[in-house]
Amino acid sequence: MPTFANSERIFQTAMQLLPGGVNSPVRAWGAVGLSPRVIARGEGARLYDVDGNSYLDYVGSWGPLILGHAHPRVVAAVQEAAARGTSFGAPTPGEVELAQVLLGAVPGLEMVRLVSSGTEACMSALRLARGATGRGRVIKFDGCYHGHADSFLVAAGSGVLTHAIPGSPGVPPEIAELTLSLPYNDLDAVARALKTYSGEVAAIFVEPVAGNMGVVPPKPGFLEGLRRLCDQEGVILVFDEVITGFRVAWGGAQSLYGIKPDLTCLGKIIGGGLPVGAYGGKRELMARMAPSGPVYQAGTLSGNPVAVAAGLATLETLVEPDSYDELEEKGAWLARELAAAAARQGAGVTINRVGSMLTVFCTKAPVTNLEEAKGSDLRQFQTFFQGMLAEGVYLPCSQFEAWFVSTAHRQEDLEYTVAAAERVWSRMAGK
Ligand code: KE4
């Protein structure tokens, strides 16, 4: 019988020292009625908690670990970089190499700035858009999450949604009022908003494949329509590819769907599990960033050489041509077989997937926006989560997050996952 005594003990201490015992809210497992497992280490597709229990991991640190945990090339790159010094606050060869890789891969990037998180990337891109247009308003979409900068904590997804936080205290109404949050996949709503606030909107931020209300793909024509409306209205189109960048394709969702944004935000995979974010786009826009232009943004550890080494090692490993074919095949197989197992057991689920990111929604209805995602049965989700954990499968602790398949997940891991899900759904059906 597995024990969790060390997890419990450590987490009790953490609860005294850290708000909710965590350094990021979604990790607190508030939505699944359990204390979180305290993780000792990861290797490949597996996590190991401080009591020695092992789990097949579909969180992947919320997306960065597309190669799985402790990939030898990443570990070696980090060790070599750290041995040369961890930070200089000066230009380094690695940040130039990473910028070259990003510009070579992502169609919309002509120039890029490295930062230390996706939040910083999105926050800086918004300031740039406002600085470049002289406009104050921003449009986002319900259930999309662009980090925790004030302007984005309006109808946000991820932890804000998981914990049913209506926005956040501390965001002045004068700031929140500048953010318009519209239903995802609803072009008419965007057109109406741009008409109502004509000349006032600096940018539209969109997750080109939403990952923070669970996975919700763009409807055909949605991204094209945003591009057209932004061109018509002089609005800057920002693709937040913090999740989708190098996840759904080497060139991100913008290469998958063939739509070029004006600015792109990146994070997660480009740091290989260490803190790296980036924002970039048209040269004439990025040239406005200090010191070449007047829009200010800075960071002590931006482009950190150790983090950049982890990102470069990850991207150099990923670019092998078959990586994305492999991730697509694994994602498609898993989604297809989970759906078949759910049908066999009479579990009403909808599975949305793009590449190696997917969500099993506990609803039979289609999920194309936040309202439909919120139609999921959260008690059913909690029971499924707990059942899968007991089977040794570590899923995102929220209905409104994505499962991530890595190159480290082997076919037998996927087969085990489907068999475990079928056992859990069978027990849930009282069989
Ligand atoms: P970070 O500041 O957490 O590096 O990135 C913010 C961010 C921006 N844009 C998108 C599309 C994102 O998904 C995120 C962060 N994602 C969440 C989970 N989906 C991070 C997990 C957490 O908050 O602990």
Side-chain angles (χ1 to χ4, degrees):
M1 188 66 180
T3 67
F4 308 107
N6 289 329
S7 262
E8 290 293 341
R9 173 177 52 78
I10 294 169
F11 192 66
Q12 285 310 313
T13 305
M15 294 278 280
Q16 305 306 313
L17 307 174
L18 308 169
V22 292
N23 284 309
S24 198
V26 74
R27 304 176 190 173
W29 283 21
V32 292
L34 290 172
S35 292
R37 301 287 186 265
V38 176
I39 301 303
R41 68 185 184 90
E43 187 177 340
R46 287 195 166 275
L47 287 174
Y48 299 83
D49 69 19
V50 291
D51 294 284
N53 304 300
S54 95
Y55 308 89
L56 261 180
D57 178 23
Y58 286 96
V59 176
S61 183
W62 307 99
L65 298 173
I66 197 165
L67 300 179
H69 297 281
H71 189 285
R73 284 175 71 173
V74 177
V75 172
V78 167
Q79 288 170 332
E80 285 161 21
R84 293 196 295 270
T86 54
S87 180
F88 313 114
T92 64
E95 63 191 343
V96 174
E97 282 172 54
L98 181 55
Q100 287 170 327
V101 172
L102 299 181
L103 266 61
V106 182
L109 293 187
E110 297 172 1
M111 184 173 268
V112 70
R113 164 70 56 84
L114 301 180
V115 292
S116 298
S117 70
T119 290
E120 262 195 287
C122 293
M123 176 174 73
S124 308
L126 176 55
R127 185 176 307 132
L128 172 54
R130 284 170 163 162
T133 61
R135 301 174 180 179
R137 293 189 187 279
V138 57
I139 289 174
K140 67 176 289 290
F141 295 93
D142 299 343
C144 286
Y145 177 69
H146 306 294
H148 63 84
D150 284 355
S151 290
F152 293 122
L153 289 183
V154 174
S158 187
V160 178
L161 187 54
T162 299
H163 297 273
I165 302 169
S168 173
V171 177
E174 299 80 6
I175 298 287
E177 182 266 330
L178 292 172
T179 301
L180 305 166
S181 196
L182 305 174
Y184 193 78
N185 275 320
D186 187 342
L187 270 182
D188 292 342
V190 177
R192 286 195 300 274
L194 288 174
K195 186 172 171 56
T196 304
Y197 296 102
S198 180
E200 298 179 44
V201 177
I204 293 178
F205 272 69
V206 65
E207 291 181 54
V209 174
N212 286 291
M213 54 180 125
V215 175
V216 176
K219 282 182 177 173
F222 178 58
L223 298 177
E224 294 83 347
L226 292 180
R227 180 67 278 171
R228 184 181 68 255
L229 288 167
C230 284
D231 291 341
Q232 287 168 5
E233 298 289 331
V235 172
I236 289 175
L237 179 59
V238 186
F239 275 13
D240 177 351
E241 297 226 41
V242 168
I243 287 181
T244 56
F246 298 92
R247 167 62 61 180
V248 298
W250 175 246
Q254 58 194 269
S255 74
L256 191 65
Y257 295 102
I259 304 292
K260 194 181 288 188
D262 302 305
L263 291 176
T264 299
C265 300
L266 297 166
K268 295 184 191 276
I269 289 171
I270 69 168
L274 270 68
V276 179
Y279 66 103
K282 291 180 173 172
R283 181 174 296 274
E284 56 93 7
L285 274 176
M286 290 303 291
R288 295 167 180 266
M289 295 308 297
S292 51
V295 183
Y296 196 72
Q297 173 267 316
T300 302
L301 297 176
S302 294
N304 174 269
V306 181
V308 161
L312 275 171
T314 298
L315 299 183
E316 284 160 5
T317 304
L318 257 183
V319 78
E320 284 149 16
D322 61 354
S323 292
Y324 288 92
D325 293 343
E326 174 194 340
L327 287 163
E328 171 60 28
E329 282 162 27
K330 288 177 174 177
W333 188 93
L334 182 60
R336 184 174 61 248
E337 295 306 318
L338 282 170
R344 284 192 295 271
Q345 299 306 326
V349 300
T350 288
I351 299 177
N352 286 353
R353 176 190 72 87
V354 179
S356 57
M357 62 188 282
L358 64 95
T359 295
V360 178
F361 289 98
C362 296
T363 176
K364 293 176 185 164
V367 179
T368 66
N369 61 32
L370 176 61
E371 279 321 300
E372 292 167 357
K374 290 169 100 172
S376 303
D377 180 332
L378 297 187
R379 292 188 59 78
Q380 183 186 331
F381 171 78
Q382 181 175 107
T383 306
F384 181 65
F385 176 88
Q386 293 182 359
M388 292 296 273
L389 189 70
E391 293 275 352
V393 180
Y394 189 90
L395 298 180
C397 53
S398 164
Q399 175 67 95
F400 308 112
E401 295 285 358
W403 301 26
F404 294 108
V405 180
S406 78
T407 56
H409 285 83
R410 301 160 306 170
Q411 183 60 26
E412 53 261 43
D413 297 325
L414 305 182
E415 289 167 3
Y416 177 85
T417 303
V418 172
E422 183 143 17
R423 287 192 290 272
V424 173
W425 280 320
S426 174
R427 287 196 290 272
M428 289 170 69
K431 292 177 183 174

